[in-house]
Amino acid sequence: MSQGFDEPVNRRDRNATRWRAVEQATSEDGEPVIPLWIADMEFRTAPVVLEAMQEALTHGIIGYQEWSADFPQLFCRWQADRHHWAISPEWILPCQSVIGALDVIFHTLTQPGDEIIEFSPGFGAFGRVIRQSQRQQVTVPLKENGAEYILDPATLEACITPRSRMLILCNPHNPLGKIWGQDELRQIIAICQRHNLLLLSDDVHQDLHIQGAPYTSITSLSDAIADNAITFTSPCKTFNFSGLPVTNMVIKNPGIRERLRAGLVQRSIHKPDALGMIACEAAYRDGAPWLDALCQYLHGNVLFLQQALHQHTSVRLFNVQGSYLGWLDFRSSGLSQSMLEARLIKKAGVLLESGTQFGDRGEGFMRLNFALPRAELAQAISRIQHSFGHKNA
């Protein structure tokens, strides 16, 4: 059954953040700039989610909302069925957003000046909230290995000091689209245990398995690490309702869980809004068939992207296993980052997310969101081919 992924949806006049960024932007040829930067999809939100929210709106009152009585079991069943991850209902701690929860975690479980470790290139918001919390950001470079990045355990261990308190993992990794393999996850577990690091695993793209080995929750590999870890999950990226932030943390350790519950309540970010809760439950209850179709479509998009770039440009796409984000290597162009960004907008007429938003190891790279109808993706990639083809490299 078609899910309408090929159907274009015009968001230009909807105050969408993606499109607001290019509202007045045109290429040198006068063509409107195509935005492929921010991490939401150009597909309609999953129908089961829209139907559930429409029913709530039709009812006529959007008041204070509680989770359904069976939501904990619903969430646990989703994790077990999709990811073979066995969790207990009491481990679930809902909140609004990952970034808001990180702020609570840093202020509750660490002291100013403590070190928080993350991998680079990595999601820029992690570093921002670390610095704003007056903690020390420590970045560990991942190692390029062909068309992927891998962990260098020795490099990670060398970055750990007596002030190190936490390690942030992103699985699948943003911006790389890397799903961490079990061997690497076990190496991370061993290092965290050896240095008593609390592990924070941002797994909000967990459901978006595109190709290769499937996602594994790191806490499913070790009871010991599960007792010293916080995992972040969310249906928002999966079912395309990022404008209604919903996060469900999984925290086995009751001491950590209750301290964070109190911190979330203190900041009034312990509960998503009513429509977010309704959307979340509908997604996990009935959204699996739509998600299966989405992942199949995204797989087709990434295959198209790989072939188009490989055959007609010198731009290199790193392997994408999870999420709808591609990490593009433009270093062969010889352009500085500012010149690269300008050429993409002015010559190609596309807006990508700058690699430097993901740390200093992002120089020469750009992140591309390929979650859009294939015909629209083809138009954007054709522009990149024209501006970065072999004759222009």
Side-chain angles (χ1 to χ4, degrees):
M1 178 179 176
S2 172
Q3 296 289 350
F5 298 125
D6 282 319
E7 178 186 351
V9 181
N10 187 352
R11 302 173 66 199
R12 291 172 177 82
D13 59 350
R14 306 301 297 178
N15 296 318
T17 301
R18 172 195 290 252
W19 288 96
R20 179 67 68 86
V22 296
E23 197 169 35
Q24 305 296 329
T26 60
S27 69
E28 290 180 349
D29 295 333
E31 295 292 333
V33 173
I34 301 173
L36 303 177
W37 64 289
I38 200 168
D40 61 7
M41 296 189 277
E42 288 289 273
F43 307 130
R44 294 188 188 278
T45 298
V48 296
V49 171
L50 295 177
E51 291 163 7
M53 291 193 293
Q54 185 59 58
E55 191 279 331
L57 293 171
T58 301
H59 176 267
I61 299 177
I62 306 298
Y64 296 116
Q65 184 85 9
E66 301 297 329
W67 293 101
S68 297
D70 68 338
F71 172 70
Q73 289 74 24
L74 179 68
F75 178 81
C76 291
R77 186 165 61 249
W78 179 271
Q79 297 298 337
D81 291 347
R82 304 290 302 193
H83 307 302
H84 309 289
W85 183 21
I87 61 176
S88 297
E90 63 269 19
W91 299 357
I92 306 167
L93 183 60
C95 63
Q96 292 178 2
S97 73
V98 173
I99 299 306
L102 283 174
D103 183 65
V104 172
I105 290 167
F106 296 157
H107 281 94
T108 303
L109 302 179
T110 67
Q111 298 296 320
D114 283 349
E115 296 172 353
I116 315 296
I117 302 170
E118 61 166 330
F119 293 111
S120 179
F123 184 41
F126 293 156
R128 172 171 53 80
V129 71
I130 291 169
R131 296 188 299 272
Q132 289 176 348
S133 301
Q134 296 183 319
R135 275 60 178 171
Q136 296 299 311
Q137 177 188 12
V138 177
T139 57
V140 178
L142 294 172
K143 181 180 179 180
E144 283 190 50
N145 182 40
E148 62 182 6
Y149 284 77
I150 60 174
L151 172 71
D152 183 346
T155 300
L156 170 57
E157 199 131 24
C159 291
I160 299 172
T161 78
R163 293 302 303 267
S164 301
R165 297 290 180 267
M166 299 177 176
L167 171 66
I168 301 178
L169 176 71
C170 193
N171 187 24
H173 188 89
N174 180 7
L176 305 178
K178 169 188 173 70
I179 293 179
W180 290 80
Q182 292 192 19
D183 288 344
E184 287 184 311
L185 293 176
R186 293 184 190 280
Q187 291 175 316
I188 291 171
I189 289 171
I191 292 171
C192 286
Q193 291 180 320
R194 191 152 53 242
H195 298 277
N196 193 30
L197 298 177
L198 179 68
L199 178 66
L200 311 179
S201 191
D202 177 6
D203 296 10
V204 299
H205 291 102
Q206 63 174 171
D207 298 311
L208 297 169
H209 172 236
I210 307 303
Q211 58 186 352
Y215 156 89
T216 299
S217 167
I218 190 169
T219 62
S220 70
L221 300 177
S222 163
D223 288 339
I225 199 64
D227 205 46
N228 200 35
I230 300 168
T231 304
F232 304 91
T233 74
S234 174
C236 299
K237 299 295 185 185
T238 304
F239 295 97
N240 204 29
F241 56 94
S242 293
L244 292 172
V246 180
T247 298
N248 290 293
M249 291 186 284
V250 179
I251 310 173
K252 180 183 178 184
N253 187 306
I256 295 174
R257 188 171 62 246
E258 294 313 310
R259 289 180 69 186
L260 295 183
R261 191 191 307 277
L264 293 168
V265 171
Q266 184 180 33
R267 290 166 175 77
S268 298
I269 59 172
H270 59 292
K271 186 187 291 186
D273 66 30
L275 288 179
M277 296 164 76
I278 290 167
C280 177
E281 293 191 8
Y284 287 145
R285 197 180 304 278
D286 299 310
W290 183 88
L291 173 58
D292 291 339
L294 171 68
C295 290
Q296 183 176 5
Y297 191 89
L298 291 175
H299 183 233
N301 272 8
V302 80
L303 291 179
F304 168 81
L305 180 61
Q306 287 172 331
Q307 183 178 37
L309 292 176
H310 177 71
Q311 290 183 350
H312 302 289
T313 78
S314 56
V315 180
R316 189 162 61 116
L317 172 68
F318 281 77
N319 290 338
V320 182
Q321 299 164 310
S323 83
Y324 44 77
L325 305 171
W327 187 240
L328 304 186
D329 181 359
F330 286 88
R331 288 174 296 182
S332 64
S333 70
L335 298 174
S336 68
Q337 193 69 17
S338 60
M339 293 174 64
L340 171 60
E341 294 169 21
R343 183 164 166 181
L344 281 163
I345 293 175
K346 292 300 182 182
K347 293 287 188 182
V350 295
L351 174 64
L352 309 185
E353 188 79 351
S354 175
T356 55
Q357 293 294 316
F358 305 96
D360 56 7
R361 296 182 68 82
E363 186 83 22
F365 294 87
M366 303 293 289
R367 190 189 73 177
L368 181 148
N369 179 340
F370 56 83
L372 68 164
R374 197 158 301 148
E376 296 182 359
L377 177 63
Q379 181 185 13
I381 300 310
S382 176
R383 294 184 180 190
I384 294 175
Q385 289 172 338
H386 180 72
S387 298
F388 291 88
H390 292 300
K391 63 183 177 63
N392 295 313

